[in-house]
Amino acid sequence: MATDPMDETAVERGIARTAVVIALRDDLRIADCIASVDEDVEIVLALNGPSDAVLKLIADHPRALTVTEIEDVGNLGAAYNAGAAATDRQYLLLMDSDCTFAPGVVRSMVRTVLTEPVVKGQVVYGESAGLLSRLTARVREFDEGDYVSALSPPLIYNRAIVEHIGGYHFDELIHWCEDREFDFRLQLAGIPVVYLPTARIFHDAQHGFANMRSYFRYGVGEGVAQETGVFTTPAIPVLWRLFEAARTLAHCARDKGPGAAAYYALLKAAFHVGTAHHLLNDPYRVRERYPASAKRARMVRSIPQHSTRLTGPQQRRLRRAHWEAGRRIERVADLSVFHPAAAGPREASALGEARQQQA
């Protein structure tokens, strides 16, 4: 079927209003990532502890790049916030430095976000000949394959949503799991995530036990998020975690095989060690920055780690936690406010940034 020329005109305008935001530390694969961006969009690099080699690559790069930097090394939420603040583009496409876009993906995601406020693409996980690399790919597929979520990358959203989800893009306290917390607020606001499976990016193969380090960090983020009340805390933590782990591993064995389930068990152990590490040591020194309203949101049936889907009671409990912290997140009655025809997109962006600064 022929494409309406007016639609393509709108897409071109959308591309001119899009920024690809990439958090970057010392990953030289950023060169391949930038090369895969096949549209004339703004590219924003949010540096957090960059190496000299990365700084040289950026300085010598022939493409125009917007660069910002934060001091809090490893804080992905703060990096994405800095990236969002460094651009006035309406549509923010979040990407990782170890991934590349398939041809045409940027355009297809922009086309969809013109009418849908949040759009998620698909990650194709690379693998090498090593066993751990193959198991990592299977587990990552399982972790994202069961449900549609706002976990990034690739994720594009209309920044006008920020004023409806508490006034901030990402929570800078939790460091890791920042996209999971973002997803929860979208659900509280009734803003759907549209899944675009044809919008593929390719994740570089992971080797050795690097993935275990990631899950350890996710566990640290989980610990912070529970203490501040943006995630729920199991009322009977040990029993709940044992039940949740057994159910998740059984599903993983069914879908991806017993080897993947065994490896996933190690990852879940690293995750819980990370949570315990935060409780005992506060490695990112965030407790001194907790707001006065910070407290746990306890529930008997807490949110499973292998999901972002919130039940009705979980939504009510998290909404109450945000209200107690001074953030009223109500359901958006009319999603058409995020369409291009809605008045004042730049004004909405300015308001969102002002609230982000306040947060």
Side-chain angles (χ1 to χ4, degrees), residues 41-93:
V41 295
E42 182 179 12
I43 298 177
V44 181
L45 302 182
L47 308 181
N48 55 108
S51 64
D52 291 340
V54 162
L55 292 175
K56 185 178 187 307
L57 185 153
I58 294 171
D60 296 341
H61 203 282
R63 193 161 181 173
L65 303 171
T66 300
V67 181
T68 185
E69 187 171 354
I70 63 170
E71 295 181 357
D72 198 356
V73 176
N75 191 333
L76 293 180
Y80 283 137
N81 286 344
T87 177
D88 64 354
R89 304 295 173 97
Q90 189 70 24
Y91 306 110
L92 304 178
L93 175 49

Side-chain angles (χ1 to χ4, degrees), residues 15-152:
I15 287 173
R17 302 171 68 197
T18 297
V20 175
V21 180
I22 309 168
L24 177 62
R25 185 178 178 185
D26 56 1
D27 191 354
L28 294 177
R29 291 171 293 186
I30 185 62
D32 294 329
C33 179
I34 294 172
S36 71
V37 179
D38 56 2
E39 297 290 348
D40 189 18
V41 295
E42 182 179 12
I43 298 177
V44 181
L45 302 182
L47 308 181
N48 55 108
S51 64
D52 291 340
V54 162
L55 292 175
K56 185 178 187 307
L57 185 153
I58 294 171
D60 296 341
H61 203 282
R63 193 161 181 173
L65 303 171
T66 300
V67 181
T68 185
E69 187 171 354
I70 63 170
E71 295 181 357
D72 198 356
V73 176
N75 191 333
L76 293 180
Y80 283 137
N81 286 344
T87 177
D88 64 354
R89 304 295 173 97
Q90 189 70 24
Y91 306 110
L92 304 178
L93 175 49
L94 306 185
M95 187 59 168
D96 280 357
S97 58
D98 57 358
C99 299
T100 56
F101 291 103
V105 164
V106 174
R107 177 170 289 263
S108 68
M109 295 192 77
V110 171
R111 177 183 287 109
T112 308
V113 83
L114 294 179
T115 54
E116 305 291 346
V118 184
V119 181
K120 170 67 185 292
Q122 182 182 19
V123 184
V124 178
Y125 291 97
E127 53 187 275
S128 65
L131 176 61
L132 285 180
S133 177
R134 296 197 299 272
L135 292 178
T136 296
R138 299 293 82 77
V139 168
R140 286 290 192 171
E141 290 168 358
F142 174 75
D143 249 355
E144 292 197 359
D146 286 355
Y147 53 92
V148 177
S149 70
L151 303 184
S152 61

